[in-house]
Amino acid sequence: MTQLQTEQPPTCRIHQVDATHSPETGEFIEFRILKSDEARVHAGSVIPPDIAICDRCLKELSDKRDRRYDYFFITCTDCGPRYTIIDALPYDRPRTTMRDFEMCEKCLGEYKDPRNRRFHAQTVACADCGPSVVLVGRDGKGVDSTDPIREAGRLLERGHILAIKGNGGYHLASSTRLTDPIVRLRKTKFRVQKPLAVMARDLEATRSFAEVTPPEAELMTSFVRPIVLLRKRPGFDLSEQIAPGLHNIGVMLPYTGLHNMLFDETSERAFVMTSANPPNEPIIKDDEEALARLSDVVDYFLVHNRRISQRCDDSVVRWLDGAATLLRRSRGYAPAPISVAVPKDACTLGVGGELNVTCCLVYQGRAYMTQHIGDVETLQTLQFQKEATGHLLMLTGCRPNAVGRDLHPLFNTTKFAEEFAQESNIRVVPVQHHYAHVAGLMAEHNVDEMVGICCDGYGYGDDGSAWGGEIIFADQNGHKRVGHLEPQPMIGGDLATKYALRMVAGILRDEPEVADWLLARRQYFRHGEEEINMVLRQVRSAQVTTTSCGRVLDAISAILGLCYERTYEGEPAMKLESAALGGKDVLKLEPALNGEVIETTSMVREVFARVERLRVPDLAYSAQSYMARSLGMSAIAVAEELGLKTIGFTGGVACNEAIMRILKVTVENEGFRFLVHKLVPPGDGGLSFGQAVVAARMA
Ligand SMILES: [Zn+2]
Ligand SMILES: [Zn+2]
């Protein structure tokens, strides 16, 4: 019994131990694993996430004497895919996509032997009985190769683009040294600037181009094996096209035998390894679809014949100030439950917002979050959301009694929630965007009341206007907006989100020099001078305003010449953060608080006035510092007034290292407890969690 709890395998989580002792002898007679009881598993079920290849399997993979030498899908009880192959619970082979492969005698022998390390390993397989892999040309015809995986590695090294089928979907892969294939890949993926993740051979190879701290190394080698955002090394010598204009790069280590074998016969330190998804669509998981949609993108396909039950993107993590911050919670995490303090009888669903959507089910004091679904702007992602949610409900066997959704009336997720509620005849709970973030943070830390600072790009406000730099007081009964950034005009509405110079024109509407400054940048306007004149005319009459923190950071980024057009979410602010590295707070601006309003115009004006004379890193840092300190001071003032001891920081901007650090110091120096997310993403990937929690309290 003690051993059960102290000598468990690395991936083991014991949720509960029920022991019954025989009154007669008190001796053990035999050890058996009982057949999973369907009814029992359903109540409080634990759905295992995928687990990266373990060291023992890796050793066998390269051991010529082992019978699984060179078998690309080698796994054991400690490792291998789980969630991505599970069609239904309890987790036994006949309910996974491994049921298509009948175990050979040797595999079956291991599966049945309690002393074998593959005893009851549902994914057990070998070259004789398990999935196989082939190399296919873009015409769909097989390429003759006795060693398709290593051949694929060689093809990558020579500059070809490959689609590689993994456990949870297809990756697009290319060399990391050659710029040509990356440029080609970007064109076809409609990703002009968005950073691409890479898969490195091992830690040592990673260290040749990125800095890896001990906790980052631990994250990278953990059984989750996420993409970890690492700082590029000085003299970074991979292609600049991988993460243009950024100081960091997303790196993961191989997590299947196949990935490891790719590197065997190449001298490459890393390959680009990015999710194969058409713009605004989910990652491709089916072979016919891959062939149909990727054949004009890639030169070859490396395909295995195991079906993917649930598609699942790689997770993305950033080590921030002593904790792992989840940028995307997916493979390796989802859908492992998170304990949460809500009424035990509550069973609620949260459906997320519009970007980086996940779904979350709160049930019996646990929150089950789906894998990353994506931006639910198209029918395809909406369909994926419905499937993933349905799958989660089926696996847990529960029926929600309320569903939390965003306040935005027109989001696809809003319609999904309304339809779902109508079909199930349950209540819909609309939850304001930033309150959902704050409520999630409170639930994660089991805190009853808090002043929350929530900063991101956009959220539908209680008054219907665009919010995104909010100070929210929340307790068990609800929330109140107690502070916010100064509302700034968005000239041309959504166009101002894409073209940051429009934000500059709006914020600096009273600066006479701004017209000439914009004209000097006419090449960044699609219609040049004509468009600038129109923007300047609209400055006074702009109807749409926003309190978004993201839009202010965008404006600074444009003023400093770092980014004029946003080609992916968060781009200008991320480039600003990179540029601020090594900078100092040279402006040392005093927070300008005006009642509930945190002024931003004065700060932007100061930066604009000094852009010719001061260094970009210093100005970038000064702007971030002002935002952090003024948000912090505003929250502190409210907390003091309300007699609260806790201040939290959430929203996408909470992934910005400099802003988070300065805010933390500001808040802690005044004697307050400072909270950030550790279990769910601070960005919109964590929104569904907060919505489900709020719905649970109100149900
Ligand atoms: Zn293993
Ligand atoms: Zn076998």
Side-chain angles (χ1 to χ4, degrees):
M1 194 67 148
T2 324
Q3 268 177 309
L4 193 62
Q5 283 171 322
T6 53
E7 292 174 25
Q8 41 177 284
T11 55
C12 175
R13 294 284 173 279
I14 295 176
H15 291 264
Q16 201 176 322
V17 178
D18 296 320
T20 319
H21 297 273
S22 156
E24 285 147 32
T25 61
E27 278 173 22
F28 289 116
I29 300 165
E30 58 169 352
F31 178 79
R32 275 192 296 160
I33 293 182
L34 299 178
K35 237 184 156 59
S36 314
D37 171 344
E38 300 200 16
R40 268 187 38 180
V41 174
H42 264 216
S45 56
V46 173
I47 317 156
D50 283 21
I51 305 159
I53 187 167
C54 73
D55 288 345
R56 286 211 271 178
C57 284
L58 203 53
K59 220 172 179 175
E60 288 178 5
L61 181 69
S62 58
D63 179 357
K64 286 204 166 100
R65 292 158 309 175
D66 195 274
R67 76 177 194 91
R68 287 191 184 79
Y69 168 65
D70 249 10
Y71 183 57
F72 73 103
F73 264 175
I74 183 170
T75 60
C76 68
T77 22
D78 286 347
C79 76
R82 301 286 187 268
Y83 180 60
T84 52
I85 59 163
I86 293 176
D87 283 328
L89 283 179
Y91 170 53
D92 285 318
R93 187 152 171 141
R95 281 173 291 266
T96 70
T97 57
M98 279 303 287
R99 70 170 172 273
D100 301 351
F101 305 93
E102 196 181 329
M103 278 183 251
C104 68
E105 245 170 68
K106 281 182 181 162
C107 284
L108 189 64
E110 292 170 314
Y111 182 83
K112 284 183 168 170
D113 177 4
R115 288 156 307 176
N116 193 287
R117 67 184 202 89
R118 292 194 171 82
F119 177 50
H120 262 258
Q122 310 302 343
T123 52
V124 67
C126 70
D128 292 335
C129 66
S132 55
V133 64
V134 286
L135 194 62
V136 175
R138 63 203 298 182
D139 54 2
K141 292 201 183 101
V143 175
D144 203 19
S145 170
T146 48
D147 196 353
I149 300 173
R150 294 191 180 93
E151 179 62 25
R154 286 190 290 264
L155 288 167
L156 289 173
E157 188 169 34
R158 268 184 255 140
H160 292 286
I161 300 177
L162 269 79
I164 298 177
K165 186 179 179 185
N167 286 345
Y170 275 81
H171 279 119
L172 291 177
S174 81
S175 164
T176 48
R177 286 175 302 108
L178 307 171
T179 289
D180 203 49
I182 305 177
V183 171
R184 205 148 59 85
L185 195 146
R186 283 195 176 282
K187 259 190 207 141
T188 44
K189 239 197 139 189
F190 302 100
R191 283 186 162 188
V192 196
Q193 291 274 298
K194 194 170 182 173
L196 305 169
V198 307
M199 180 177 278
R201 173 190 291 274
D202 51 28
L203 269 183
E204 197 193 329
T206 308
R207 289 199 171 99
S208 73
F209 58 83
E211 288 168 5
V212 192
T213 62
E216 285 167 341
E218 201 171 305
L219 263 176
M220 288 184 76
T221 52
S222 71
F223 69 82
V224 174
R225 220 143 302 177
I227 296 169
V228 180
L229 218 52
L230 301 173
R231 204 175 270 213
K232 288 177 183 169
R233 260 181 84 114
F236 177 80
D237 60 349
L238 301 183
S239 169
E240 260 313 312
Q241 278 296 317
I242 297 170
L246 299 176
H247 71 291
N248 41 30
I249 177 171
V251 188
M252 64 182 145
L253 294 180
Y255 56 87
T256 65
L258 183 148
H259 293 147
N260 280 283
M261 290 164 71
L262 273 181
F263 287 97
D264 277 354
E265 287 183 7
T266 75
S267 56
E268 296 278 356
R269 290 168 290 162
F271 292 125
V272 167
M273 198 67 81
T274 177
S275 298
N277 58 309
N280 292 317
E281 288 185 37
I283 182 171
I284 292 176
K285 76 174 176 71
D286 296 319
D287 303 337
E288 298 85 71
E289 195 193 353
L291 202 57
R293 307 204 54 186
L294 298 174
S295 54
D296 55 347
V297 179
V298 307
D299 304 312
Y300 296 94
F301 295 83
L302 185 64
V303 189
H304 62 75
N305 58 344
R306 182 173 65 207
R307 288 179 294 121
I308 295 171
S309 174
Q310 282 294 301
R311 56 164 69 82
C312 200
D313 288 85
D314 298 313
S315 294
V316 188
V317 181
R318 182 173 190 186
W319 186 262
L320 275 183
D321 203 55
T325 303
L326 291 159
L327 306 191
R328 177 193 290 163
R329 187 183 187 276
S330 205
R331 176 183 54 76
Y333 294 101
I338 299 164
S339 290
V340 59
V342 291
K344 281 270 184 238
D345 55 345
C347 178
T348 57
L349 195 65
V351 297
E354 185 166 53
L355 304 178
N356 291 315
V357 168
T358 57
C359 264
C360 178
L361 176 71
V362 165
Y363 175 51
Q364 292 187 333
R366 288 183 191 154
Y368 299 85
M369 285 171 77
T370 63
Q371 69 272 47
H372 166 77
I373 288 164
D375 301 347
V376 183
E377 295 172 325
T378 60
L379 277 179
Q380 287 86 347
T381 36
L382 183 61
Q383 188 54 36
F384 176 28
Q385 175 169 38
K386 288 179 178 171
E387 283 166 16
T389 310
H391 192 65
L392 193 62
L393 293 176
M394 189 270 293
L395 292 180
T396 50
C398 90
R399 289 166 169 226
N401 46 35
V403 50
R405 63 141 167 108
D406 197 82
L407 210 54
H408 199 296
L410 300 176
F411 278 172
N412 280 321
T413 53
T414 298
K415 286 178 217 160
F416 168 51
E418 295 291 340
E419 280 167 23
F420 182 86
Q422 204 159 32
E423 281 164 22
S424 336
N425 198 22
I426 58 173
R427 216 151 56 91
V428 182
V429 181
V431 188
Q432 198 278 324
H433 190 99
H434 305 98
Y435 171 42
H437 279 301
V438 174
L441 183 56
M442 285 164 67
E444 211 182 276
H445 293 278
N446 199 5
V447 165
D448 286 340
E449 50 181 12
M450 184 173 85
V451 176
I453 301 165
C454 185
C455 289
D456 57 11
Y458 168 76
Y460 191 89
D462 281 325
D463 57 5
S465 68
W467 290 10
E470 311 303 311
I471 314 285
I472 306 265
F473 163 70
D475 63 9
Q476 298 301 297
N477 302 315
H479 74 289
K480 189 171 183 282
R481 185 196 208 194
V482 287
H484 56 84
L485 295 183
E486 178 185 350
Q488 296 289 5
M490 291 179 83
I491 300 166
D494 269 352
L495 281 177
T497 303
K498 194 160 193 281
Y499 301 98
L501 286 171
R502 285 172 173 259
M503 285 307 303
V504 178
I507 297 173
L508 297 179
R509 57 198 173 280
D510 294 327
E511 292 295 300
E513 299 89 7
V514 89
D516 284 341
W517 186 86
L518 288 173
L519 282 170
R521 280 153 192 79
R522 59 168 71 81
Q523 71 267 36
Y524 301 111
F525 288 83
R526 282 165 309 159
H527 308 289
E529 196 168 337
E530 199 185 330
E531 186 179 343
I532 295 173
N533 288 329
M534 198 170 73
V535 165
L536 292 171
R537 275 198 304 276
Q538 288 175 342
V539 153
R540 303 271 153 213
S541 57
Q543 299 288 321
V544 184
T545 63
T546 180
T547 58
S548 166
C549 182
R551 295 296 85 79
V552 176
L553 298 175
D554 290 358
I556 298 292
S557 190
I559 289 172
L560 297 181
L562 303 168
C563 183
Y564 297 110
E565 180 189 341
R566 186 184 83 155
T567 65
Y568 59 89
E569 202 209 344
E571 178 180 358
M574 281 162 68
K575 290 187 170 168
L576 181 70
E577 184 188 347
S578 292
L581 220 68
K584 288 191 300 284
D585 191 351
V586 288
L587 297 184
K588 293 197 175 67
L589 302 170
E590 274 302 307
L593 307 180
N594 184 3
E596 283 192 2
V597 179
I598 302 158
E599 286 183 19
T600 51
T601 302
S602 48
M603 180 275 287
V604 177
R605 194 182 288 150
E606 294 288 337
V607 172
F608 182 74
R610 287 173 175 77
V611 69
E612 305 292 337
R613 280 175 289 132
L614 296 177
R615 288 174 62 227
V616 167
D618 290 341
L619 287 173
Y621 189 90
S622 301
Q624 291 183 151
S625 164
Y626 174 84
M627 297 304 282
R629 285 179 295 117
S630 57
L631 285 157
M633 293 313 286
S634 176
I636 288 165
V638 175
E640 274 172 350
E641 200 183 308
L642 297 172
L644 298 177
K645 285 269 123 233
T646 308
I647 293 174
F649 185 31
T650 178
V653 179
C655 303
N656 176 306
E657 190 171 20
I659 294 184
M660 198 275 287
R661 283 222 171 112
I662 300 168
L663 192 45
K664 183 179 164 148
V665 169
T666 308
V667 166
E668 288 183 344
N669 278 353
E670 296 297 318
F672 292 89
R673 185 179 170 211
F674 182 72
L675 297 181
V676 290
H677 291 279
K678 295 201 163 67
L679 301 175
V680 308
D684 285 0
L687 205 60
S688 61
F689 175 72
Q691 293 167 340
V693 164
V694 172
R697 282 212 203 94
M698 294 173 68

